[in-house]
Amino acid sequence: MPALPDAKSQAVRLLREQLRQTRLQRRKFQPSDSALDRVLPGGGIPYGGIVEWRGGTGSVAAELSLHLAARICQAGKTLAVVDSRCQLYPPAMAGRGIDLNRVLLVHPQSRRDEVWAMVQCLRCPSISMVWGCPQKLDAREYRCLQLAAETGGAAGMFVRPPGIAGRPTWADAQLLVTPQASEEHRRFVVKVVNCRQGIPGKLVSVEMDAITGELRECDEPFPMRLASQLADPSSGRSAARA
């Protein structure tokens, strides 16, 4: 008889996986037409789900997530920006390709209002993406956001502080953005920390044009030119002879 509970548990897990795959098949994903599609769940912006960018407001994670927000506006869809700290400058957003005519800008006065505004925007069928930087979210609040995204069909792009590592999440994917050294343009490595669809640990190296803000994939994910020179045995022998 001890094998019976194990069989039931296995059947329940199988049914849950089948239901999850069915939901994923019904989901829509919009390609961002950039190298970020390689690490985004489903190969693009996931409607009805949440992508969590780890880095904090004003970080490179915020810049990359706003690049996807610009893609939404370019497709003729509406973007809701919930900016509780009033740190986003509309003219700078326009300079990054975001059509301000397609933007709903919300400035909540408290953390409670911030969560409420994000939930309402995610539920609204006329809004395609909700961008925000929630600093603190408990499990119940995060679950409400995830359910609101599923109900309304919007994509949630949340930039979170680095200190949330290891905490429970309802996001479809958690992405860690790390800046890299570059001689001309800004370069980042985007790594999948956690993902419901795909393989954790996958990464892509992207470079942002300093003038146009265009993203392109880098051939070398980790430029180590100085380290390579120091590790060159010929340079070591020449130094020894000197």
Side-chain angles (χ1 to χ4, degrees):
M1 295 303 296
L4 184 58
D6 293 338
K8 288 184 177 181
S9 299
Q10 185 177 1
V12 170
R13 288 195 297 267
L14 180 61
L15 289 174
R16 286 177 177 174
E17 179 62 22
Q18 291 176 348
L19 289 173
R20 189 181 72 87
Q21 293 297 333
T22 301
R23 288 195 298 267
L24 290 175
Q25 291 174 1
R26 293 177 180 175
R27 294 269 298 278
K28 295 181 179 180
F29 300 88
Q30 177 177 315
S32 66
D33 296 332
S34 70
L36 295 177
D37 290 339
R38 290 185 54 189
V39 294
L40 288 172
I45 301 170
Y47 290 116
I50 295 173
V51 175
E52 189 174 273
W53 300 76
R54 192 177 301 173
T57 308
S59 66
V60 293
E63 287 196 46
L64 292 183
S65 59
L66 284 173
H67 177 83
L68 299 183
R71 182 69 181 87
I72 286 289
C73 292
Q74 292 166 4
K77 299 177 181 179
T78 303
L79 164 70
V81 176
V82 182
D83 184 14
S84 61
R85 298 187 176 186
C86 302
Q87 293 191 2
L88 292 185
Y89 186 49
M93 294 169 59
R96 288 300 183 186
I98 298 178
D99 184 1
L100 298 182
N101 293 321
R102 298 283 181 180
V103 176
L104 172 64
L105 189 59
V106 183
H107 289 154
Q109 300 299 312
S110 65
R111 191 180 76 85
R112 181 178 180 181
D113 291 344
E114 179 185 34
V115 175
W116 180 87
M118 290 190 296
V119 168
Q120 299 306 314
C121 289
L122 287 170
R123 286 178 177 173
C124 181
S126 62
I127 294 177
S128 297
M129 177 183 286
V130 179
W131 187 94
C133 294
Q135 297 296 299
K136 295 181 180 180
L137 286 175
D138 58 36
R140 182 187 62 82
E141 292 170 336
Y142 215 140
R143 177 60 169 166
C144 288
L145 292 170
Q146 187 258 339
L147 291 175
E150 285 189 354
T151 301
M157 290 285 160
F158 298 155
V159 183
R160 307 295 312 284
I164 65 167
R167 295 184 182 180
T169 177
W170 288 96
D172 287 53
Q174 288 179 308
L175 305 179
L176 177 64
V177 182
T178 306
Q180 296 290 311
S182 178
E183 296 178 356
E184 298 181 1
H185 306 290
R186 305 185 67 184
R187 182 174 292 187
F188 322 100
V189 172
V190 184
K191 180 180 180 181
V192 181
V193 179
N194 189 20
C195 188
R196 295 187 181 182
Q197 181 182 5
I199 303 175
K202 191 174 183 179
L203 56 84
V204 63
S205 179
V206 296
E207 193 174 60
M208 179 179 289
D209 190 283
I211 299 177
T212 64
E214 179 185 359
L215 289 181
R216 50 182 173 266
E217 186 173 357
C218 303
D219 296 332
E220 300 177 2
F222 298 101
M224 298 294 291
R225 298 178 181 176
L226 179 59
S228 300
Q229 294 175 1
L230 294 175
D232 187 358
S234 61
S235 61
R237 287 193 296 269
S238 60
R241 286 194 297 270

